[in-house]
Amino acid sequence: MKLVHTIADLRDALRPHDSPALVATMGNLHAGHLALVRTAKPLGDVTVASIFVNRLQFAPHEDFDTYPRTLEADCEKLQAAGCDVVFAPSEREMYPEPQGFKVQPPAELADILEGHFRPGFFTGVCTVVMKLFQCVFSEAKGRRTAMFGLKDYQQQLIMRRMVKQFALPIDIVGAPTERAADGLALSSRNMYLSEAERAEAVQLSLALRGLARDALAAADGLERQLPGLEQRALQALAARGWQPDYLTVRRREDLQPPKPGDALVVLGAARLGKTRLIDNLEV
């Protein structure tokens, strides 16, 4: 496995290959990231993992400065998972000058849910991913694949729309959410949880499952009943000491309020102590 830190060295490492498969990460890797790498392996002739903590997607009050940087441990895990190239650029390498050009996703998709509670987040994500795509795929001659976990459902949907609208020759592949034995969605931020909080954290996925059951039971009455169902789910989680941002049922296709017959996804984000957790469930 090669570890490279510059765009020039990355392109040199990829030049002998035709079909890169990319897993973009911010490091502090867990089993979910490694599952993405293993899924990516057969989809190309070289598997690339990027590790870059992207300042553009952090608000001033968020944890950019304290986000764990664990490059050595991450590389050991990636090598064991079969990764071929790790691209770990510095901030100066990725942004040698202030990033004045940015990718602004459409408000109807990016300013709701996560985007509502984290203004500008998806602009930062789209901008860095577009740049990573240019770094990894610019000289590829065959299939180009980028892996995204479905735990961040809204993010992978935005990535699909971005690739489509810019006519990028890249396949976006979504991988199922990796979960702990009790059902908690794996996340780099789970390490912030205390022992007691870790035991409680599974309640978010349980709340989503309960909301999904209620939504399916509502059947053709879902539009009328949904506000009440969502409010009860929020109140039940808050009663356990959480600070929920949203628990909601949306249409999978575009995350708009569902109509009868739509394929559904249930999404939630809530803070437990100082840690903000997100999860979703397709139903």
Side-chain angles (χ1 to χ4, degrees):
M1 185 183 78
K2 290 184 179 180
L3 171 62
V4 296
H5 298 284
T6 69
I7 297 170
D9 286 345
L10 173 67
R11 288 175 172 159
D12 284 344
L14 296 181
R15 195 161 287 121
H17 304 280
D18 292 329
S19 302
L22 170 66
V23 178
T25 84
M26 294 202 303
N28 192 29
L29 303 183
H30 53 69
H33 295 113
L34 304 180
L36 291 176
V37 172
R38 288 190 290 269
T39 303
K41 284 285 294 178
L43 301 180
D45 61 2
V46 60
T47 306
V48 184
S50 64
I51 297 177
F52 180 65
V53 184
N54 178 41
R55 184 186 297 272
L56 295 185
Q57 67 194 66
F58 287 78
H61 67 280
E62 293 182 329
D63 58 341
F64 174 80
D65 291 326
T66 59
Y67 192 89
R69 275 78 165 173
T70 56
L71 181 60
E72 184 175 350
D74 291 342
C75 286
E76 291 176 1
K77 294 175 182 177
L78 288 168
Q79 186 165 19
C83 185
D84 300 307
V85 178
V86 176
F87 177 46
S90 66
E91 191 167 20
R92 182 178 294 275
E93 179 69 16
M94 284 297 284
Y95 302 126
E97 59 185 59
Q99 188 68 30
F101 289 90
K102 297 179 180 178
V103 179
Q104 180 69 55
E108 65 270 16
L109 186 57
D111 290 354
I112 60 173
L113 304 175
E114 281 298 289
H116 174 77
F117 289 94
R118 303 180 69 186
F121 171 71
F122 286 117
T123 297
V125 171
C126 288
T127 300
V128 74
V129 170
M130 180 68 84
K131 199 158 192 176
L132 287 169
F133 284 173
Q134 301 305 319
C135 295
V136 173
F137 298 125
S138 62
E139 299 182 22
K141 303 175 186 67
R143 181 182 182 186
R144 303 159 176 87
T145 304
M147 301 292 306
F148 289 90
L150 291 176
K151 180 180 77 70
D152 300 300
Y153 190 91
Q154 187 175 7
Q155 176 175 283
Q156 63 84 31
L157 185 57
I158 288 172
M159 292 300 104
R160 292 180 189 279
R161 293 291 182 85
M162 181 177 78
V163 163
K164 181 179 180 181
Q165 288 202 2
F166 281 106
L168 301 178
I170 299 168
D171 294 330
I172 301 296
V173 178
T177 303
E178 291 287 317
R179 297 183 181 275
D182 64 355
L184 176 67
L186 298 187
S187 168
S188 295
R189 289 188 169 91
N190 289 353
M191 66 171 292
Y192 295 158
L193 298 168
S194 68
E195 185 176 348
E197 288 170 342
R198 172 60 187 84
E200 171 66 21
V202 70
Q203 293 298 324
L204 177 59
S205 64
L206 293 177
L208 294 179
R209 292 182 185 280
L211 181 54
R213 287 194 299 270
D214 291 344
L216 291 175
D220 290 342
L222 180 59
E223 285 184 86
R224 174 175 51 83
Q225 297 181 42
L226 186 55
L229 297 178
E230 292 176 343
Q231 187 62 28
R232 284 197 293 274
L234 288 166
Q235 290 173 345
L237 204 57
R240 299 185 65 91
W242 293 69
Q243 296 173 290
D245 287 339
Y246 58 86
L247 292 173
T248 187
V249 180
R250 296 296 176 100
R251 185 164 56 203
R252 287 189 207 174
E253 178 186 349
D254 56 9
L255 298 182
Q256 296 305 302
K259 303 289 186 182
D262 287 339
L264 306 178
V265 59
V266 185
L267 307 105
R271 190 172 297 278
L272 181 60
K274 296 181 179 180
T275 306
R276 188 173 182 274
L277 303 176
I278 69 171
D279 200 354
N280 73 79
L281 178 69
E282 292 183 344
V283 294

